Each structure stands twice: as structure tokens, then as C-alpha cells.
Amino acid sequence: MSLLARVEACSRLDRSSVVPFLIDGVRYGLVGRSARRCLTAMGTPFMVQTGSNGDSEPAAIRLDTDPALPPADRVAMRSAALDRAVDRMLEEGILRRRRSEVYTVVNGWGETPVATVDRAAMTAFGFLAFGVHVNGYVGDGPDRKLWIARRSSDRAIAPGQLDNIVAGGIGDGHSIFETLIKESYEEAGLPAEIAGMARPTGTVSYVTHDTDGGDGTGVRRDVLFNYDLALPARVEPYNTDGEVADFSLMPVNQVIQRLETGDDFKFNVAPVMIDFLIRHGHIGPEHPDYQALMQGLHRPVDA
């Protein structure tokens, strides 16, 4: 394996297997074969847009609402339709379970949502999702160490794998900073006065097939807002919500070694770690994959 392989693992999308999902004519998602079959069978308000060449496969799946309705009513109608689709996908085994967290449907951070949907269905529709990841560390230079979480064995996604000290998705109605504070306490027991010292460092983005959240035909389109948090030596994280089995303070050279030699880290945590290592000079321009790593960490997420 290699560091580049860890980054490329987040960019494995077969574009020929998906079609756009349009809301009132605007592309918001990408749907794979299972979701297409489900939505086509449901019928109105989900409509099949055929291609000009008469191909039997749809060119797109549409969800249209009456433009004469007030905007709030159109959002409510779209959200209700998506929720019915979630129920059907659960019945057909396309989704495993509801997550009981509401996410927004947008094409970019800060946009007014056109709908909301259960978190579990974000990849089934290929909607754009956002998260917060925190690199917690102690010390500087070659002596720097990173706090690494090991996910609990009962996690539906990546059980037992290594994770950032804090990581979580951003739900409807929550800001980036609110999510940072909330997740920092839930996952690492960090009070707001310490979590609030985290500094934003940019984003990592990727588009790939969903291999964890459903039947494997969905599309994961994520933008992760990354933070660095220099922690005092006296602070030790502890989990409060059962999602983390334990924490370890890992030297940087060991982090690099484990990234290079195996699949210990959760698939989307590896690029966040690599981004940290590049920004802090632990991986420099002399690395043979330096340019490819930089490009791979910031994939376009357009549907």
C-alpha cells in the first residue's frame, strides 16, 4: 500500500453506473442502479427523464414541484417525497436502517436547502454531505504525537478501525462550529473551552461509491471541514457516547507507517491525516507522490 492509495480509495466512482438526480431541473445528486429501480417503480412525483438516443436506461431521475407554490411548501413536499422513498428503500434492502438525523439537500455549503432527508439516504441519492474532522495533537516537530481514536466494534461503519480524535457529520440546523463543540464532547469528552481552541485548516473532499451505508450502489459525496487542535499534555480524551472504544497517543512516524502499510484507518480519515501531515511538514515536496496527494485531497464534488 501507499499514502496515495489511501487517498485514491476515496475516489472510486464509476460514472457510467450513475445518473443525475434532478430537483426542479437542477442536478443535486447521483443515483445508482438500485435507487433508480426503486424510484422508477414508485412513480410520481419521481419521474424518469429519458435520453435522446432511446437508451433503455434513464438519463436522469427527476423530482419536480409546482413553481406556483410558496417556497416553504415546495421544500416540505420534496422532503415528504424523499422520506417516502427512504421507507421504500428500507423495504427493498437498499438501505439498512434510518439514522434519525436530518440532513439538508444543497449543492454547496451555505445554500438554502431545497429539501431535507434522513442521513441514511444521503448516499442512495448521492447528495452532498458535510462533516467536521479534528486532528488532536501534542507537541511539535518530529516529537509531535496525534490522539487516535479506535472505533467501537458495534459501529455499523468501520468497526474497530482508527479515527480522528473527533469526527462527525453536520446535520440540519447545525453550524460547523456547533458541530465541532457537540462532537468534541460526545466523542472525546472535551469541554467547549478546549474544543473551541481548534483552528480551521481547510477541507478534504471526495466522491466515491458507498461501501458501508447500504447495498454498495450509492454515491458518497463529502466535504470535510478540518481542524487542528493543539492539546495540553494534561488533557486525555475519553468517550461519552459509546462510539469510541479507546484512544491512543501515536507518534507521527507511527501514524505514517500505519497509513502506508495497511487499512487500520477508516477510509475517509486517512486523507484527513495525510492532509495534516503535509501541512505540518511531515510529508514534504520530496515525497514522490506529493503532487498527486495534493490533488487527490481536493476532488471536485459536483454532481
Side-chain angles (χ1 to χ4, degrees):
M1 304 302 291
S2 67
L3 296 178
L4 184 59
R6 299 272 67 78
V7 172
E8 290 179 339
C10 290
S11 301
R12 294 175 177 169
L13 177 65
D14 176 9
R15 287 272 175 177
S16 67
S17 71
V18 298
V19 301
F21 183 81
L22 310 178
I23 297 179
D24 290 337
V26 178
R27 185 167 56 181
Y28 278 93
L30 294 169
V31 288
R33 293 186 178 93
S34 295
R36 287 204 299 276
R37 287 194 296 267
C38 175
L39 297 172
T40 299
M42 287 184 68
T44 306
F46 299 104
M47 306 297 291
V48 174
Q49 179 173 305
T50 58
S52 57
N53 58 359
D55 194 337
S56 60
E57 281 290 318
I61 302 294
R62 304 178 62 98
L63 172 57
D64 295 332
T65 52
D66 185 349
L69 291 173
D73 290 348
R74 298 173 75 190
V75 171
M77 291 183 66
R78 297 181 195 120
S79 302
L82 293 175
D83 200 56
R84 291 193 297 274
V86 171
D87 285 337
R88 179 68 70 89
M89 290 179 185
L90 289 167
E91 293 172 3
E92 297 185 6
I94 298 170
L95 300 177
R96 295 176 183 171
R97 61 184 177 89
R98 283 183 177 268
R99 297 289 295 274
S100 299
E101 295 178 65
V102 177
Y103 273 30
T104 55
V105 179
V106 295
N107 270 335
W109 181 255
E111 289 186 359
T112 300
V114 296
T116 59
V117 68
D118 188 272
R119 178 179 182 176
M122 292 296 286
T123 58
F125 287 97
F127 292 145
L128 183 61
F130 302 90
V132 172
H133 281 238
V134 179
N135 296 288
Y137 67 95
V138 175
D140 291 309
D143 297 326
R144 180 178 283 120
K145 297 179 179 180
L146 283 157
W147 277 110
I148 305 297
R150 182 167 62 88
R151 297 168 63 82
S152 296
S153 59
D154 63 353
R155 294 295 86 196
I157 297 175
Q161 287 195 291
L162 302 182
D163 207 335
N164 290 113
I165 186 175
V166 173
I170 305 174
D172 180 30
H174 294 282
S175 70
I176 300 170
F177 188 73
E178 287 170 344
T179 302
L180 167 70
I181 298 300
K182 177 177 73 71
E183 295 291 337
S184 292
Y185 178 74
E186 291 176 356
E187 296 198 352
L190 299 176
E193 58 267 24
I194 290 179
M197 296 189 301
R199 295 292 175 260
T201 61
T203 64
V204 163
S205 54
Y206 54 85
V207 180
T208 190
H209 279 294
D210 176 35
T211 58
D212 293 309
D215 70 348
T217 64
V219 179
R220 185 178 293 274
R221 299 170 54 228
D222 291 344
V223 174
L224 307 180
F225 296 98
N226 298 333
Y227 284 75
D228 286 354
L229 177 58
L231 288 166
R234 60 178 173 81
V235 174
E236 292 193 18
Y238 63 93
N239 184 243
T240 70
D241 62 3
E243 293 189 7
V244 175
D246 54 54
F247 291 92
S248 59
L249 195 55
M250 192 177 296
V252 163
N253 61 350
Q254 186 178 343
V255 173
I256 295 175
Q257 181 185 30
R258 295 185 74 163
L259 285 167
E260 288 179 330
T261 59
D263 295 324
D264 295 337
F265 284 91
K266 183 172 176 277
F267 85 99
N268 63 346
V269 171
V272 173
M273 290 286 184
I274 292 169
D275 176 70
F276 175 92
L277 294 167
I278 289 174
R279 289 186 290 98
H280 288 271
H282 301 291
I283 299 171
E286 70 283 353
H287 191 286
D289 294 325
Y290 186 81
Q291 183 177 1
L293 287 170
M294 294 296 294
Q295 293 172 339
L297 292 171
H298 308 288
R299 302 282 188 184
V301 292
D302 297 340

